[in-house]
Amino acid sequence: EATDPADWESNLVAVAQDDYDVIIAVSSMFQEIVARQAPEFPDKNFILIDAVVKEPNVASAVFAQNEGSFLAGAAAAMFTTKTDIPNVNDKKVIGWVGGMDVPVLHDFLVGYKQGAKFIDDEVEILVSFAGTFNDPLKGKELTLAQYSQGADIVMNVASNTGNGILEAAKDSGLYAIGVDLDQDDTYPGHILTSMLKRADVAAYELTKEALTGNFQGGEIVKMDVSNGGVGLTDMSVMKEHLGDKFPEDILEEITKISEDIASGKITVESYEGFSFE
């Protein structure tokens, strides 16, 4: 684990040279590194999360973050109208704060916008990029700015920068949506839900293949709404906090939308030109 990107490649090489059968590289930032190094260690199995490298000893797992974000955008668009919930204003404004301005985050954003507009075409979506994944203060600053412009709920798509987004929600008495893992209990009562990206499931299944002798080099595993690879939390933390004021209709609508995405009834758009293939 490293905080300096300059150490990533040397770390990968170090574990590949050690006595490990499976090396898991997490994030698209490792794509070029794995592409360079995997051929140097043909007897090792590499798993790449969030990007694709087509080598005979690399299995790749990619996620339909646009589908998960569609659900988050829909939830935010419904939540922003619930003026009986403390500090939810009467403006149809929601926010989104991302880390680096990179294609995969634009894929998140396309889905978020489409999901929000699916619920209400009049909803306004404020968008900011921090330019970094490692600056919580910047995340907090951008979120507070969106709150000042009328947003009462902001989605975090910013890794460590996102910790500031969640803190802004708590400090302002307002609301946020978590990302990647379940962040609902970070500040209970201020995180409506989190968009889950089940990297754990992908890593587990691909590791199991390696350990049972069924590792498929060159395999691309696509995790989406239909197979549970992406989705939202059950909102139980917020439900416990709000009690009778919890808007059950949001959960019901998200369940229906999830089924329609899984069946193909709803087609979620992708960022133009973005593909893992």
Side-chain angles (χ1 to χ4, degrees):
E1 186 172 3
T3 56
D4 185 352
D7 295 332
W8 292 348
E9 188 155 6
S10 60
N11 284 354
L12 185 85
V13 170
V15 294
Q17 290 174 334
D18 213 330
D19 189 25
Y20 296 106
D21 302 301
V22 180
I23 295 98
I24 305 173
V26 184
S27 104
S28 59
M29 305 297 185
F30 272 94
Q31 184 174 28
E32 293 183 3
I33 295 171
V34 171
R36 275 194 300 271
Q37 296 300 334
E40 301 297 319
F41 301 94
D43 59 333
K44 299 297 178 75
N45 297 315
F46 290 83
I47 296 170
L48 179 60
I49 304 291
D50 252 359
V52 170
V53 167
K54 294 181 178 178
E55 291 290 340
N57 60 334
V58 180
S60 307
V62 296
F63 297 82
Q65 58 275 327
N66 58 331
E67 292 185 1
S69 283
F70 185 105
L71 299 177
M78 287 185 277
F79 185 82
T80 195
T81 65
K82 308 298 183 181
T83 53
D84 58 325
I85 294 174
N87 297 329
V88 173
N89 61 51
D90 60 359
K91 299 176 182 176
K92 294 180 179 181
V93 182
I94 63 176
W96 185 97
V97 176
M100 297 287 286
D101 189 348
V102 292
V104 67
L105 259 67
H106 280 279
D107 204 43
F108 272 98
L109 181 56
V110 166
Y112 187 71
K113 287 181 173 179
Q114 186 187 359
K117 296 292 186 179
F118 178 83
I119 296 298
D120 187 345
D121 197 49
E122 294 181 354
V123 70
E124 180 182 356
I125 301 125
L126 305 178
V127 175
S128 301
F129 283 94
T132 172
F133 286 117
N134 201 33
D135 188 348
L137 288 177
K138 183 67 173 179
K140 186 172 184 177
E141 172 191 324
L142 293 172
T143 304
L144 292 174
Q146 292 190 358
Y147 288 152
S148 72
Q149 296 173 66
D152 38 41
I153 185 165
V154 174
M155 184 176 181
N156 159 31
V157 194
S159 193
N160 188 40
T161 295
N163 293 331
I165 298 169
L166 306 183
E167 186 177 285
K170 186 255 302 181
D171 289 354
S172 302
L174 291 168
Y175 304 94
I177 293 174
V179 74
D180 290 346
L181 67 162
D182 186 344
Q183 297 182 311
D184 293 13
D185 62 356
T186 305
Y187 299 111
H190 295 283
I191 317 298
L192 171 63
T193 186
S194 299
M195 193 207 99
L196 301 176
K197 191 171 171 183
R198 299 305 302 269
D200 57 338
V201 174
Y204 177 83
E205 292 300 330
L206 290 171
T207 300
K208 185 168 69 174
E209 287 184 5
L211 297 182
T212 57
N214 297 311
F215 189 81
Q216 300 292 319
E219 179 183 13
I220 301 173
V221 175
K222 296 182 179 179
M223 308 292 289
D224 55 23
V225 166
S226 69
N227 61 18
V230 296
L232 299 186
T233 64
D234 62 7
M235 306 186 198
S236 58
V237 176
M238 182 62 88
K239 187 172 183 178
E240 181 179 353
H241 184 82
L242 290 178
D244 292 342
K245 288 188 175 182
F246 179 78
E248 291 284 354
D249 61 315
I250 294 181
L251 271 180
E252 293 166 3
E253 185 65 19
I254 292 301
T255 298
K256 181 177 182 303
I257 292 172
S258 298
E259 292 170 353
D260 287 347
I261 291 174
S263 70
K265 185 176 179 180
I266 293 176
T267 301
V268 181
E269 299 166 3
S270 295
Y271 178 57
E272 186 177 357
F274 178 78
S275 174
F276 281 115
E277 297 298 336

